[in-house]
Amino acid sequence: MDDYVELKYGGKTYHLPLITGTEGEKAIDISRLRSETGLITLDPGYANTGSCISRITYMDGEKGILRYRGIPVEQLAERSTFKETAYLLINGRLPSLQELTHFSVMLNDHSLVHEDMKIFYQHFPRASHPMGILSAMVNALRSFYPALENLEEEINITVTRLLAKIRTMAAMSYKISLGHTPVYPRPDLAYCENFLNMMFHTPVRPYEIKEEVVRALEVFWILHADHEQNCSTSAVRMVGSARVNLYAAISSGIAALWGPLHGGANQAVVEMLTAIKEDGGDYRKAIARAKDRNDPFRLMGFGHRVYKTYDPRARIMKKMCDQLLDALNLDDPLLDIAKELEEAALNDDYFIEHNLYPNVDFYSGIVLRAIGIPTNMFTVMFAIGRLPGWIAQWKESMDDPMWKLSRPRQIYMGPVETDYIPIDQRG
Ligand code: CMC
């Protein structure tokens, strides 16, 4: 089999190396293209560009496959915990019992946030979006926890701090937005339980931890834990390539995730379903609008850059929705609308021709509503889940022998050289 492709240009033939991944995916290595040919490539949105070689997550968009470190996400959602999955992504293998226990102790030990941070939280305007607050506060962590001299120790402790504190910070922003006193993390509670308790416990109504709710949250976070080179992960890698500290790189990932085309879609789906419900429940209007080229409206929670079939995460999330609502004896009218909307879209020619299927966000908002998470915190929930993936990808890029400062090129189409005209001589 050929191990290069030929490029003919300017009367010359160039041999560009072919790279094959462990799952057979092929790529043309163009890393020397410009120095050898003077050419660059043009690829808006990087839809055809591999930005790195990675050993973390594999996805096949045509077959609907997602694996973390080789393990199918379905198996992790069935049998693992978010904490164990985070360890797997960051360290490259499943932990032993002893390693997992040590990891838990470390996460507990670092779960408090500096008391002075509360002052910052209290001064954000009440209408601030929690994603803006989270991004700012994660970036601010560097000021509270200056770098250690030993690089290895610094990375390990920063990773632990981020994983441990992000739940406390997220819950704290919610409590402060209600005007309540934040609830401190409890060492006797595991990762997910602790977060739920910090979110919902009040002195007048102690939070009752329900097994089904904890499991739903574990699965929600496992399903969001990594998704290879998506927009926010690419932001983390790109910003990280300037060798900023990890807090700053993660803060940029949170900012990217906020967008409605990315992590913000879970909030947008629930808003869309609510609008359909308030308009009498006729989901066909939404489908008609999504198909109308003159209308910018899109069916939120549908379509994906990589998946051209059913998103495997959406399948698990849909099942989780039914299980959780059943277990809690809840009836959410948005779930009925979502199911009808899904069925209508999957049978509609436009959606079939465009390969548009539900993505992870289509049902995840309904799971979060059942847990009691307010809509404006949905994307924060996604961010907590994606944190291990961002960290794993950042760590991999730090050790990458092919590492380079991210700096794409462009094709300039602006004015050619033009003389400056003094203001009194302009027409
Ligand atoms: N509703 C209606 N039409 C759509 C949709 C949609 N949700 N998604 C894509 N299309 C159409 C689009 O109009 C275009 O049509 P045409 O070729 O006729 O002009 C075609 O499909 C291709 O669209 P695109 O924007 O070029 O495709 P993309 O790969 O850049 O888009 C996407 C991926 C996720 C941005 C897009 O599908 C979308 O906007 N979906 C809704 C937002 C959403 O649910 N985002 C969450 C993504 S999953 C969570 C995550 O991992 O971040």
Side-chain angles (χ1 to χ4, degrees), residues 227 230 257 260-263 265 269 290-291 293 297-306 308 311 313 350-351 354 356 359-361 382 386:
H227 217 218
N230 57 83
L257 189 73
L261 295 188
H262 191 14
V269 170
K291 288 157 60 173
R293 283 182 181 278
F297 176 82
R298 285 186 166 196
L299 209 56
M300 299 316 285
F302 258 76
H304 197 274
R305 172 64 62 77
V306 181
K308 298 305 163 198
D311 180 338
R313 303 168 300 171
Y350 173 91
F351 288 85
H354 286 77
L356 297 171
N359 59 50
V360 69
D361 292 316
F382 189 154
R386 183 54 54 87

Side-chain angles (χ1 to χ4, degrees), residues 200-219:
F200 301 121
H201 177 84
T202 71
V204 289
R205 192 186 289 263
Y207 182 66
E208 187 197 337
I209 295 171
K210 293 196 176 117
E211 207 182 304
E212 302 85 357
V213 173
V214 173
R215 191 62 213 158
L217 183 58
E218 296 274 11
V219 172

